[in-house]
Structure formats: C-alpha cells, structure tokens
Amino acid sequence: KKTSWDGLIPALEGDEIDAIIAGMTKDKTREEGADFTTPYYDSKGMIMIVRKDGEEAGYTDIQQFSGKNVVGQKSTNYDDVIDQINVTPKATYPEMVLALQQHEVDGITAEMAVAKGVVEANPDLTIIQFEDGHGFDCDTTVSIALKEGSRDSEFFKKVQKALDSISDEEREEMMKYAVEHQPTED
C-alpha cells in the first residue's frame, strides 16, 4: 500500500498496514511506535548527489559543503544527518532532484542504493563518496518495522525467520533488482 513517508508509522499503529518494508532505519523515536527486526540491509554509508557540472562534484570532505544548501528527505536520516542542511526538507526524491537540477540546492543526501537509481535516471547528476573519516556519521542499516508490542508475536517471529533465511548474496541481488526497478517519478 503506497503511503507517504510521514504516514508510515501512523498507518502501522492504526492497523492500516501490517509491516513497513521501506528502507527505514530504527531510532529511538521510531521505536516508540514500532518493533524492528534485525537489519536486512546496510548501504554502508551515506553519500551526496550533486550536479555533474558543479564544483561540488569534486568534493571529498563533508566540510566542503559548509555554507552550501543541502537538502534531505523530510522525516528521514537524510534530513537530519548534518548541521549544514539549511533548506526545508522535501517530501520526495523527485522533488529533491528537481530542486538540485534547478540550482535551488547544491546537494542531496542519500544512501548508495537510492543514489544509483537517481543518477541512472538523471545523467546530469553524479554521486560523491567521501574519503574515510570525512563523510557522514550515521546508521545506514534498514529493518522491517512491525506494530509496537509485536516482538513476541508469531507474525514477528515468522518475518524475522524469513529474513534470517536470506543470504547476504541474495540480499545484495534483491537490492540491486530493487534499485534497477525503482520508480523515477513520484
């Protein structure tokens, strides 16, 4: 069921959906409304998407973005990951990409899986991976969220068992497929 990002936890709490499988990283706030499985994927770091022809394309340190306009997706780690984000967050990636292409912002925060799809669909954009120790400091693991208080339920245990049965290689292949088939528009 397609639901806005901000509506996912409320939909779970209100029994509109049974689980969130949407690249959600658990944090203290989200754990107040959901129980999380062990992580099913780790993108191994957050990166930036910038215009290919901009000076930012050559940056190697997050500090080079100081004073720049960087946007993240509303209510996500992309939004609150760094102090330099000084643009009102956007609700969707298509909105963020448009803001970047129209020079409203200088960069978009992203995880690699998302960034690959965005850049594939927008050849005027590129990915910046920062040098070790010069990038973001954040958790980039994602888990499945189920209704709060369900950790001991049969449903939670079945979901966790299913996740545990998927090898790392299968997870990588599944994520690759998801990236290649993600929608490029809202």
Side-chain angles (χ1 to χ4, degrees), residues 45-48 62 70 78 81-82 84-85 108-110 128 130 133-138:
M46 196 169 290
I47 51 86
M48 292 276 255
I62 191 65
V70 176
Y78 302 134
V81 72
I82 58 172
Q84 289 97 337
I85 295 177
I108 299 172
T109 55
I128 296 178
F130 299 106
H134 295 273
F136 298 103
D137 181 21
C138 64

Side-chain angles (χ1 to χ4, degrees), residues 65-71 82-89 105-106:
F65 280 91
S66 183
K68 298 285 186 175
N69 289 324
V70 176
V71 68
I82 58 172
D83 294 335
Q84 289 97 337
I85 295 177
N86 54 7
V87 173
T88 302
V105 299
D106 302 305

Side-chain angles (χ1 to χ4, degrees), residues 133-154:
H134 295 273
F136 298 103
D137 181 21
C138 64
D139 183 2
T140 57
T141 60
V142 292
S143 302
I144 295 176
L146 295 115
K147 190 169 180 92
E148 185 176 30
S150 68
R151 189 169 306 283
D152 292 326
S153 72
E154 194 61 33

Side-chain angles (χ1 to χ4, degrees), residues 39-60:
Y40 64 83
Y41 187 74
D42 184 354
S43 67
K44 311 239 186 312
M46 196 169 290
I47 51 86
M48 292 276 255
I49 302 170
V50 298
R51 288 180 298 278
K52 194 180 276 187
D53 63 356
E55 70 177 270
E56 297 84 7
Y59 288 1
T60 58

Side-chain angles (χ1 to χ4, degrees), residues 7-141:
L8 288 172
I9 295 287
L12 185 64
E13 292 171 333
D15 293 325
E16 293 175 45
I17 59 176
D18 296 316
I20 299 170
I21 309 172
M24 186 172 280
T25 301
K26 79 176 181 178
D27 63 23
K28 289 180 182 179
T29 302
R30 291 179 182 145
E31 284 184 299
E32 292 174 7
D35 286 345
F36 287 84
T37 63
T38 58
Y40 64 83
Y41 187 74
D42 184 354
S43 67
K44 311 239 186 312
M46 196 169 290
I47 51 86
M48 292 276 255
I49 302 170
V50 298
R51 288 180 298 278
K52 194 180 276 187
D53 63 356
E55 70 177 270
E56 297 84 7
Y59 288 1
T60 58
D61 189 316
I62 191 65
Q63 296 306 315
Q64 291 173 289
F65 280 91
S66 183
K68 298 285 186 175
N69 289 324
V70 176
V71 68
Q73 186 177 10
K74 185 178 179 182
S75 301
T76 69
N77 286 350
Y78 302 134
D79 177 23
D80 58 23
V81 72
I82 58 172
D83 294 335
Q84 289 97 337
I85 295 177
N86 54 7
V87 173
T88 302
K90 306 287 187 190
T92 67
Y93 255 87
E95 291 174 334
M96 293 171 18
V97 168
L98 187 59
L100 181 60
Q101 290 171 323
Q102 293 181 344
H103 296 258
E104 294 173 23
V105 299
D106 302 305
I108 299 172
T109 55
E111 292 179 42
M112 187 56 79
V114 172
K116 285 179 180 178
V118 169
V119 170
E120 176 81 21
N122 298 279
D124 57 321
L125 304 180
T126 193
I127 296 169
I128 296 178
Q129 288 183 281
F130 299 106
E131 294 177 0
D132 286 342
H134 295 273
F136 298 103
D137 181 21
C138 64
D139 183 2
T140 57
T141 60

